[in-house]
């Protein structure tokens, strides 16, 4: 629940379609800097790993790229995003911002209290490197420590705002939520629209169009966003649709 609240759908990341996209990105990224032409195909991997066609082979392909010497940093980052703790730790050793952020958040949520300072150190490093997840997670920490994030000068708001501009859908949702709490529904609608394919944001757009908050009241648009939120698997949207059709 904590992971999903932070915008990380780890199970969704294990879908084959997602793995294909990640493998394609890594192939397009080319071999790590080792004197080879980065645009050329990497012939150091077995043919089955150069052309993976199922989820198991795709994972093996990405892990093989991460295990090269020197390792492919993009592959390590993708494995960390898939929730692979071992590769998060490897990424922390390499100071990969995404890995610092993810591993720090996992430590904070799931490990013992003695890891808290270490976790906060990782998050602060990721934040200082202007990593979207690092800023988002640091904002969540600041909100939990200082409470109300609706003050424009609050540390949480600053982190959420910066992470939103770096493309974090969850940060965009939080920025919109804070703006709505301040009464600025028009800007809130704009940010929720920026958070593409994000169930909670789509559901909030449904509510805004249904009630005419920050936009012209439009039940057709409201229904469209409700269906999109349900298509993303967002629970409240699915429950609302179920009530409609029951």
């Amino acid at each position: 629940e904590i992971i999903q609240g932070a915008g990380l759908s780890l199970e969704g990341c294990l879908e084959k379609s997602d793995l294909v996209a990640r493998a394609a990105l890594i192939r397009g990224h080319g071999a790590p800097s080792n004197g080879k032409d980065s645009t050329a195909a990497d012939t150091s991997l077995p043919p089955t790993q150069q052309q993976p066609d199922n989820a198991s082979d795709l994972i093996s392909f990405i892990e093989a790229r991460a295990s090269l010497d020197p390792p492919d940093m993009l592959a390590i980052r993708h494995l960390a995003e898939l929730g692979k703790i071992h590769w998060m730790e490897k990424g922390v050793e390499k100071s990969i911002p995404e890995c610092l952020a993810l591993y720090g958040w996992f430590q904070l949520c799931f490990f013992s209290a003695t890891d808290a300072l270490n976790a906060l150190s990782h998050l602060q490093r990721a934040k200082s490197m202007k990593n979207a997840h690092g800023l988002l997670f640091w904002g969540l920490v600041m909100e939990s420590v200082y409470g109300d994030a609706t003050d424009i000068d609050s540390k949480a708001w600053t982190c959420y705002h910066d992470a939103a501009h770096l493309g974090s859908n969850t940060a965009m949702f939080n920025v919109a939520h804070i703006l709505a709490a301040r009464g600025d529904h028009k800007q809130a609608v704009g940010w929720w629209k920026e958070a593409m394919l994000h169930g909670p944001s789509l559901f909030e757009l449904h509510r805004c169009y249904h009630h005419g908050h920050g936009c012209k009241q439009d039940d057709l648009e409201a229904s469209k966003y409700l269906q999109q939120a349900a298509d993303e698997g967002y629970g409240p949207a699915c429950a609302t649709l179920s009530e409609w059709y029951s």
Side-chain angles (χ1 to χ4, degrees):
E1 184 178 346
I2 292 171
I3 295 170
Q4 290 174 344
L8 299 176
S9 177
L10 298 183
E11 288 151 0
C13 282
L14 294 175
E15 296 274 339
K16 184 182 174 185
S17 60
D18 185 82
L19 289 171
V20 169
R22 289 170 185 272
L25 278 172
I26 293 166
R27 281 199 296 271
H29 169 67
S33 179
N34 55 7
K36 296 181 183 180
D37 178 1
S38 62
T39 61
D42 183 9
T43 56
S44 64
L45 297 176
T48 55
Q49 290 184 349
Q50 291 184 38
Q51 299 295 332
D53 61 359
N54 59 60
S56 177
D57 284 349
L58 285 162
I59 288 286
S60 297
F61 170 79
I62 298 172
E63 288 183 333
R65 291 304 302 256
S67 301
L68 291 173
D69 185 17
D72 187 323
M73 300 297 186
L74 184 62
I76 292 178
R77 197 198 83 191
H78 281 304
L79 289 166
E81 289 173 341
L82 292 174
K84 304 280 188 179
I85 302 296
H86 168 73
W87 290 106
M88 287 185 196
E89 293 171 339
K90 289 290 183 183
V92 167
E93 292 173 10
K94 302 291 184 182
S95 295
I96 299 174
E98 194 75 12
C99 296
L100 287 165
L102 292 170
Y103 190 59
W105 185 250
F106 270 77
Q107 281 185 305
L108 203 60
C109 293
F110 301 113
F111 295 163
S112 66
T114 57
D115 291 308
L117 287 178
N118 196 33
L120 291 173
S121 174
H122 291 329
L123 291 179
Q124 195 163 36
R125 283 179 66 196
K127 169 183 169 286
S128 69
M129 298 165 85
K130 302 299 181 185
N131 174 262
H133 271 129
L135 286 160
L136 169 65
F137 295 151
W138 192 256
L140 292 169
V141 171
M142 292 298 99
E143 187 170 3
S144 69
V145 171
Y146 296 106
D148 186 15
T150 58
D151 183 353
I152 197 167
D153 294 321
S154 75
K155 295 179 180 180
W157 163 260
T158 301
C159 289
Y160 293 152
H161 193 259
D162 290 348
H165 280 287
L166 289 171
S168 167
N169 282 341
T170 304
M172 292 177 195
F173 174 83
N174 289 353
V175 165
H177 185 75
I178 291 169
L179 288 168
R182 292 179 189 161
D184 191 346
H185 292 283
K186 187 173 181 180
Q187 276 204 69
V189 167
W191 275 110
W192 277 320
K193 285 184 176 180
E194 285 290 322
M196 298 294 290
L197 302 180
H198 183 249
S201 296
L202 291 165
F203 187 67
E204 290 301 326
L205 286 171
H206 150 70
R207 295 173 64 184
C208 287
Y209 275 95
H210 181 66
H211 296 290
H213 292 161
C215 55
K216 185 179 178 181
Q217 198 278 335
D218 188 329
D219 283 335
L220 189 61
E221 281 291 288
S223 297
K224 179 187 78 173
Y225 285 118
L226 179 63
Q227 183 62 60
Q228 289 179 2
D231 289 344
E232 291 300 314
Y234 186 55
C238 296
T240 301
L241 277 180
S242 178
E243 290 175 8
W244 283 12
Y245 293 116
S246 62

